[in-house]
Amino acid sequence: MLNVPQRKQLLTLARESIAAVFAGKRLEPAADAYDDDLRRPAGAFVTLTENDDLRGCIGSIEPVAPLYLAVAQSAVNAAFRDPRFQSLRSDELPRIEIEISVMGPIERVVNVDDIVVGRDGLIIRRGGYAGLLLPQVATEYGWDRETFLEQTCYKAGLPRHSWREAGTTIEKFAAEVFGEKELTETAG
């Protein structure tokens, strides 16, 4: 678990990474500005919302970069490369809320009863299709386990009951999720 100063540092980095693009610069964070926890390899997703509406969400599930770099890259990608949305405009940035999900280990699901809604995120793969939903998504929408599985299939571009079929792989993961909104609320 990351402490509050570490969380704030990552949230600041995410916002500054997006702002740097608007300023025509490339933010290159120095590794020595981050402690060992933030330099360890980790997957991370950055979610951008405006008035509680999704505005972008991109990340990496695998630990391919140090956490601080994964956050910086994911923030820029969520703002400018999420194919579901127009690129963020500079006038929107002050209204954007940033949330970070630091990925835990990925485990293959043998029994779907082992999936805990609100704790686990899901990855469903079948053939060339794959879909991922973060743990907080099911809670935000009030989904039960079966609906969560169906929606992850939908995200993968598969029929909703594909999770029941042989040849479909279901994986779960935990994530440490924190955002600007909650850190502001706990500070105030």
Side-chain angles (χ1 to χ4, degrees), residues 6-26:
Q6 290 168 323
R7 290 176 173 201
K8 286 181 179 179
Q9 189 175 19
L10 289 176
L11 288 162
T12 298
L13 173 62
R15 185 167 290 280
E16 287 175 352
S17 297
I18 296 168
V21 172
F22 289 125
K25 299 176 182 171
R26 180 179 166 92

Side-chain angles (χ1 to χ4, degrees), residues 4-188:
V4 171
Q6 290 168 323
R7 290 176 173 201
K8 286 181 179 179
Q9 189 175 19
L10 289 176
L11 288 162
T12 298
L13 173 62
R15 185 167 290 280
E16 287 175 352
S17 297
I18 296 168
V21 172
F22 289 125
K25 299 176 182 171
R26 180 179 166 92
L27 185 68
E28 297 193 25
D32 60 0
Y34 300 92
D35 65 25
D36 289 344
D37 289 336
L38 302 184
R39 288 195 309 254
R40 71 176 166 81
F45 276 74
V46 173
T47 303
L48 308 177
T49 56
E50 185 174 359
N51 299 322
D52 293 325
D53 292 327
L54 184 63
R55 189 61 181 81
C57 180
I58 291 188
S60 59
I61 59 174
E62 300 292 337
V64 295
L67 177 56
Y68 76 95
L69 283 179
V71 166
Q73 293 164 351
S74 296
V76 170
N77 289 335
F80 303 106
R81 295 184 184 95
D82 188 328
R84 300 170 293 175
F85 302 96
Q86 295 281 331
S87 290
L88 199 67
R89 297 182 322 270
S90 61
D91 64 306
E92 290 179 281
L93 186 56
R95 298 187 305 274
I96 292 294
E97 294 283 340
I98 298 174
E99 181 179 80
I100 296 171
S101 301
V102 179
M103 306 295 284
I106 298 168
E107 307 171 35
R108 188 171 183 140
V109 173
V110 177
N111 180 344
V112 295
D113 291 337
D114 294 337
I115 297 168
V116 177
V117 172
R119 179 194 72 192
D120 297 326
L122 294 178
I123 303 167
I124 292 184
R125 304 174 203 262
R126 182 177 179 81
Y129 297 91
L132 177 147
L133 288 175
L134 296 168
Q136 62 268 35
V137 173
T139 306
E140 289 168 3
Y141 288 99
W143 295 338
D144 60 17
R145 181 182 301 122
E146 186 167 328
T147 304
F148 194 22
L149 286 157
E150 290 174 352
Q151 290 297 321
T152 308
C153 288
Y154 177 74
K155 177 89 183 274
L158 296 166
R160 67 184 187 141
H161 293 293
S162 295
W163 64 272
R164 298 178 186 266
E165 299 172 5
T168 300
T169 301
I170 304 171
E171 297 168 303
K172 68 178 183 171
F173 60 89
E176 182 177 348
V177 181
F178 53 93
E180 292 174 324
K181 184 184 277 186
E182 70 195 40
L183 287 181
T184 302
E185 289 170 359
T186 58

